[in-house]
Every structure is written in C-alpha cells, then in structure tokens.
Amino acid sequence: MRSAEFDREHVLRQAMTTFMQHGYSKTSMQKLTQATGLHPGSIYCAFNNKKGLLLASVEQYQKDKNEQFAQLCASHNNIKSALHAFLADIAHPCASSEATKVCLLTRTLSEIDGQDEEVTQVLSNNLSAFERSLESVLNKAMDKGEISSKPSAKERAQFLVMGIYGLRTYASTGNDTQALSRLSEQLLEYVLR
Amino acid sequence: MRSAEFDREHVLRQAMTTFMQHGYSKTSMQKLTQATGLHPGSIYCAFNNKKGLLLASVEQYQKDKNEQFAQLCASHNNIKSALHAFLADIAHPCASSEATKVCLLTRTLSEIDGQDEEVTQVLSNNLSAFERSLESVLNKAMDKGEISSKPSAKERAQFLVMGIYGLRTYASTGNDTQALSRLSEQLLEYVLR
DNA sequence: TTCAATCTTGAATATGCGTTCAAGATACAC
DNA sequence: GTGTATCTTGAACGCATATTCAAGATTGAA
C-alpha cells in the first residue's frame, strides 16, 4: 500500500480561494494545479473532476465558516456584540480586494444558477443550514431575555441573511466603506429591534 | 448604400435575456446567434465582439428598466404604493423560473468581478445611477410630506438597494414565496419608517 | 531485497470556444 | 440597367479548456 502525499485540507483551502477569486468557470484546471501543487491526474484521482473539487471545497468552506462562527459566538456574552463582530468580519474584507471578500457559496450559486442541479442543491442546503444556525443563536438570546420574542427568531434570521447577501453585493459595486458600516449598523438595529 | 436589416432593440433584448439566463461566460456565440437570429459576422460587425454585445445589452437593459420605473412611479400617487408595486415586480419573477428573475447588472457584475475593469465600471455606474433615481423619488416624497426627512433620502435609498440585492440572492437559494413577500414588506416598512 | 500495489506525472486528446474573412447577396445612385 | 458600396453568410482558424492514460516513481509488506 501507499497513502496519498498531499494534505487534503490544505489543498481544499487553496482550491476554495482560487474559486472565490476567479469564479468557477474562469478557474481553469491549470490555475488549480498551480494553486494546489497537485497535477491533473492527482486531482482527478482524488476528486473525480473539477466539479468534485468544487463540492469538496464547498464542504471545507462550510466547515471552516461554522467553526469560525461558533468561536465568535463563544467569545461574546451577548447577541448584539456577537452579531456586530460577525457583520464586521463580513463588511471589512468586502471593502478590501482580498479573495475572501466574496462568499464561495453565494458567488458560485449565482454563477451556476440553472446549469447544474446538484451543485445548486448543495449550495442552497449549506446556505439554509447557516440561516438555521443564526436562528438558533437568536433563540438562545430570546431565552436569555436579550431580545423580545415578537418577531420570531426565524423571521429575524431570514432578514439578517437577506441583509448579508445585500451587503456583499452592495460592496461589490464599489467600496464605499462608510456606507457599508452604516448599512451594517442599521441592519443589526432592525434585526435586534 | 445599404442599411442593416435587423432591429437593434429586438436583437439586444434577445441577447440580454440569453445573458441573464446563462450568465456571460456560458452564453456562447452559438447561443447568441440562435437567440438573435444574427450570424457571427453580423454580430462582430455591429458590436465588435461578445463583450461589445454585452455592453450594448446592458445599455438597453438600463434604458428599459428606467422607463418601467418612471411609468410605475407615474401610476401611483404615493411612495408607499409605488415602492410596494416595485418590490412586487422584483419578488414575483424571483420566485418563478423565468429568465427575468435575475438582474442583468448584478448577475454580470458578480460573475465578471476582477476580470474586466471596463465592464465592472459600466455595471457599477448603472447600479449607482439607479440608486440615485430611487433617492430622488424618496426626496420628492419628503417634499410632499409623505415621509420624514430624518433618515435622509440617501440613507434610505442605500438600504433599499441593499435590500433588493439581498432579496434577489435570497430568492435564488430556493423559492420560498411566502418568506420573500414577508421580507419585502419588512424592507419597505423599514425604509419608509 | 524483492515485488506488487498504489500514487504521481505530464504529454496527448477531444471538444468547444471566440473570432475572422473572403465569397456571395442585396440595395441604392446614376 | 449597370455598377458599386455595403451587408450577410458560414466555413475555417487558432486557442484554451477539461479530461485521460500509460509510463515512471514510491511505498510498505513479505
């Protein structure tokens, strides 16, 4: 026997960055071999094809984002400061030109829309899973009496998710940092009203 | 002499629909020749290249959207019903599977991001022009005393635009019509607060 | 040390793409 | 009616792409 030589997580993080930077279709296999250090044959052996590598990258992305979010929640003792930090983490890179300014899930979903049912499903599922995890955080805040129960956690979570999508797109139309942070504030104010 | 035989506006509307349906890079010249009825040579003669056809389509799209918006504003006597109708026009196709469910400007911007400076500029300019026209409508509503002047027209317009971007992305994650119209309501409520 | 199982390598393949261009068709001026 | 300027046509071109595969390299067990 002989085991694979590459570090799967490392490869997937390099791949996801490349996908975020150039989008799915403009990320050529050549770019992927350069970014990951793997040769075409190895990629095809480990992930079937380009789409397989995308799906594996998406899985890794979601895993990383979930961990980040859990840590962020653990390090704040009230929902307002937690979500404030969360939105700042989104808005700040948005105004920069880093690859991480976009969301792998929404960018790919928008690009792939109507082209591949499987990828669309996976992305949608991951996005709604994250909405539910926001909902659960809001529910906990209700239990602790930090926010009222009148607009339900679900409604709040939906509006927040919509706002995040909007923020990201808004940021891509030109980096008005001032407006972006003002919009984040207003969004948070409304969600925690 | 001899004049061109095709109807430019018709051709551009067919092209823009194709671009909205498949995205820029997956819209092949073959698809465009089928959709427009023009042969490759004619397209290259009239629009230089694929990118030129995109830019011309974007111009036509913006012109059409501006006309629609002006008519919509003219047919409502208060801002609330006007914007309500406007959001409904956005949200309803979003929940369907028509090509018009996406916005040519944002979809293309997201796909092209970081690849072509000229297209990025044109799209961003068009989007902020539309934000300003929303701002102007809000200003008129202030003059008529329909809304207070406290959150400025600019701030309201920015939040509304962010919300529209968010609505569109939210819609693309799965067509929960119920949630979509509820989100529209909340958005409107907050913008006209 | 030997051998076979497995992984790595990267050139080769087939396909689809945007673009060009020379030949043919057409319309208008005279 | 004739000539010419212009438009239309679509086959052909070069290029980039995703994918394959057979040869070479490496591992670990016997």
Side-chain angles (χ1 to χ4, degrees):
Chain A
M1 279 289 284
R2 191 184 163 198
S3 53
E5 288 179 359
F6 63 88
D7 175 352
R8 188 183 161 94
E9 289 202 1
H10 177 71
V11 161
L12 289 179
R13 292 210 182 90
Q14 299 299 115
M16 80 172 73
T17 305
T18 314
F19 282 130
M20 286 190 278
Q21 221 160 27
H22 305 100
Y24 180 67
S25 77
K26 280 280 175 186
T27 297
S28 60
M29 286 304 296
Q30 199 180 29
K31 283 195 184 109
L32 286 169
T33 56
Q34 283 166 7
T36 60
L38 262 54
H39 290 250
S42 303
I43 293 182
Y44 280 81
C45 178
F47 307 103
N48 264 341
N49 50 28
K50 187 180 163 186
K51 176 178 156 182
L53 179 53
L54 172 73
L55 290 174
S57 301
V58 163
E59 198 183 357
Q60 185 67 44
Y61 180 84
Q62 188 70 338
K63 204 175 136 195
D64 290 353
K65 289 292 168 186
N66 280 337
E67 265 176 39
Q68 280 173 35
F69 186 63
Q71 281 184 9
L72 187 146
C73 286
S75 66
H76 291 263
N77 53 13
N78 67 82
I79 185 120
K80 188 165 184 176
S81 75
L83 289 184
H84 186 83
F86 176 62
L87 286 180
D89 281 352
I90 291 174
H92 284 154
C94 276
S96 79
S97 51
E98 300 163 51
T100 54
K101 73 176 170 173
V102 299
C103 167
L104 178 63
L105 305 182
T106 51
R107 162 147 212 192
T108 310
L109 182 64
S110 145
E111 186 182 338
I112 228 74
D113 187 49
Q115 283 172 35
D116 187 303
E117 204 53 51
E118 186 189 0
V119 175
T120 302
Q121 268 306 320
V122 169
L123 294 171
S124 296
N125 290 344
N126 279 329
L127 287 167
S128 50
F130 191 72
E131 182 182 305
R132 281 195 302 277
S133 97
L134 280 176
E135 186 182 333
S136 126
V137 168
L138 286 160
N139 262 320
K140 277 177 203 149
M142 280 180 188
D143 292 347
K144 295 196 339 194
E146 293 177 16
I147 49 175
S148 76
S149 66
K150 184 55 193 312
S152 69
K154 185 171 181 177
E155 272 191 273
R156 291 176 194 262
Q158 287 178 333
F159 198 90
L160 181 54
V161 166
M162 178 188 80
I164 293 167
Y165 294 158
L167 270 179
R168 290 205 133 106
T169 306
Y170 199 95
S172 71
T173 65
N175 43 12
D176 183 347
T177 314
Q178 198 77 24
L180 231 53
S181 64
R182 180 81 189 97
L183 284 170
S184 302
E185 276 176 46
Q186 290 177 281
L187 178 60
L188 197 57
E189 181 198 328
Y190 184 69
V191 168
L192 301 182
R193 96 198 90 120
Chain B
M1 280 289 282
R2 190 184 163 198
S3 53
E5 287 178 358
F6 64 88
D7 175 353
R8 189 182 160 94
E9 290 202 359
H10 178 70
V11 160
L12 289 179
R13 293 211 182 89
Q14 298 300 115
M16 80 172 72
T17 304
T18 313
F19 281 129
M20 285 190 278
Q21 222 160 28
H22 305 100
Y24 180 67
S25 78
K26 278 282 175 186
T27 297
S28 59
M29 287 304 295
Q30 199 181 29
K31 283 197 185 107
L32 286 168
T33 57
Q34 284 167 7
T36 61
L38 262 54
H39 290 250
S42 303
I43 293 182
Y44 279 80
C45 178
F47 306 102
N48 264 341
N49 49 28
K50 187 181 164 186
K51 177 177 156 183
L53 179 54
L54 173 73
L55 290 174
S57 300
V58 164
E59 198 181 358
Q60 183 68 44
Y61 180 83
Q62 189 71 338
K63 205 175 135 195
D64 289 354
K65 289 289 168 189
N66 280 337
E67 266 176 38
Q68 280 173 35
F69 186 63
Q71 281 184 9
L72 186 146
C73 287
S75 65
H76 291 263
N77 52 12
N78 68 80
I79 184 118
K80 188 166 185 176
S81 76
L83 289 183
H84 186 84
F86 176 62
L87 286 180
D89 281 353
I90 291 173
H92 283 155
C94 276
S96 79
S97 51
E98 300 163 50
T100 55
K101 73 176 170 174
V102 299
C103 166
L104 178 63
L105 305 182
T106 50
R107 163 148 211 190
T108 310
L109 182 64
S110 144
E111 186 183 338
I112 228 73
D113 188 48
Q115 285 173 34
D116 187 302
E117 204 53 53
E118 185 190 3
V119 174
T120 302
Q121 268 306 321
V122 169
L123 294 171
S124 295
N125 290 345
N126 278 329
L127 286 168
S128 50
F130 191 73
E131 182 182 305
R132 281 196 302 277
S133 98
L134 279 177
E135 185 182 334
S136 128
V137 167
L138 286 161
N139 263 319
K140 278 178 203 148
M142 281 180 187
D143 292 346
K144 296 196 336 193
E146 293 177 17
I147 50 175
S148 76
S149 66
K150 184 54 192 312
S152 69
K154 185 171 180 178
E155 272 192 273
R156 292 175 194 263
Q158 288 178 333
F159 198 89
L160 181 54
V161 166
M162 177 189 80
I164 292 167
Y165 293 158
L167 270 180
R168 290 206 130 105
T169 305
Y170 199 95
S172 71
T173 65
N175 44 12
D176 183 345
T177 314
Q178 198 76 24
L180 232 52
S181 62
R182 181 81 189 97
L183 285 170
S184 303
E185 275 176 48
Q186 290 177 280
L187 178 59
L188 197 57
E189 181 199 328
Y190 185 68
V191 169
L192 301 182
R193 97 199 91 122

